[in-house]
Amino acid sequence: MTAEVLDEKLALRAHHDIGQAVVVATGGAERQKRLVAFYTARGDARPDSGELHRHLRELVQDYMVPSAFHRLDELPVNVNGKIDRSRLTVPAREPGTAAEDGARSPLETAVVHLWTGVLGSDGDRSGSCAVSDGFLEQGGTSMHFIQLASQLKVVFGVEMGVEEIFVHNSAEKLARHIEDVRSSVH
């Protein structure tokens, strides 16, 4: 275990609602790896990924904050009682079901599909994202945001900066922003 992953694990465990925690690097090529946290909650606590993300950003460098958080009832252990990292897998959504979850317009659905396609280009993702899922919480990186900005220009003819995608951090919010940008141009 590297010192950095240990720092992230300790910082995550410092949260008042977290029992056990482990952070693992997932993904294919070295430049496409991302950090994913698995944790157990204390009692009936249900901290959301946004809360955990904010907590860690206060304690560790931004690049050390996991892009996804997965709550488990218990962490898997091997015969020696140590956490079995090989049994920690990123859960996939049911293909074709989540993309339209909560979508109120064809624009929201289209943004979700574009985002899912960008994430899927890593070869580390399956399924899709819901309209209210935060891009960062789904594993988005600045490279993904650049790719999404390019796709938005091609598909919708809208110039979108990476900062705007970061600020409007879900398909729902980004679709509203695209509508605002389009209406201000006409």
Side-chain angles (χ1 to χ4, degrees):
M1 179 183 306
T2 67
E4 290 177 355
V5 173
L6 181 60
D7 289 345
E8 295 148 357
K9 173 184 161 182
L10 293 174
L12 186 57
R13 288 184 62 198
H15 189 280
H16 57 88
D17 288 336
I18 300 298
Q20 292 182 300
V22 64
V23 177
V24 296
T26 65
E30 187 63 34
R31 298 183 128 219
Q32 295 178 337
K33 287 198 179 288
R34 64 191 188 103
L35 297 176
V36 177
F38 296 89
Y39 68 93
T40 61
R42 292 186 182 167
D44 293 333
R46 299 236 181 237
D48 66 19
S49 59
E51 177 184 347
L52 297 175
H53 195 265
R54 286 186 297 278
H55 168 75
L56 285 176
R57 286 185 65 139
E58 293 176 6
L59 300 174
V60 298
Q61 299 292 322
D62 285 349
Y63 73 91
M64 296 170 66
V65 175
S67 59
F69 298 86
H70 299 286
R71 182 182 173 280
L72 302 173
D73 292 332
E74 60 185 38
L75 295 177
V77 293
N78 61 24
V79 294
N80 296 325
K82 295 186 177 189
I83 294 174
D84 187 350
R85 292 171 177 269
S86 68
R87 292 179 34 209
L88 293 170
T89 58
V90 178
R93 292 180 180 266
E94 290 296 315
T97 61
E100 286 78 28
D101 284 354
R104 291 182 300 268
S105 71
L107 181 58
E108 286 181 358
T109 301
V111 171
V112 168
H113 286 291
L114 288 176
W115 177 244
T116 302
V118 166
L119 281 180
S121 68
D122 281 353
D124 183 35
R125 305 285 301 180
S126 61
S128 58
C129 304
V131 70
S132 60
D133 287 347
F135 295 146
L136 289 171
E137 287 78 16
Q138 290 299 310
T141 65
S142 56
M143 291 303 295
H144 291 121
F145 289 6
I146 291 167
Q147 292 172 347
L148 181 59
S150 174
Q151 292 290 322
L152 292 171
K153 183 175 182 180
V154 169
V155 174
F156 300 116
V158 175
E159 289 279 341
M160 191 75 52
V162 172
E163 302 82 20
E164 291 172 280
I165 295 170
F166 182 80
V167 169
H168 306 284
N169 187 28
S170 71
E172 178 180 34
K173 292 175 185 173
L174 191 57
R176 275 197 306 260
H177 181 65
I178 292 168
E179 288 173 350
D180 292 345
V181 168
R182 284 174 149 178
S183 66
S184 68
V185 172
H186 293 92

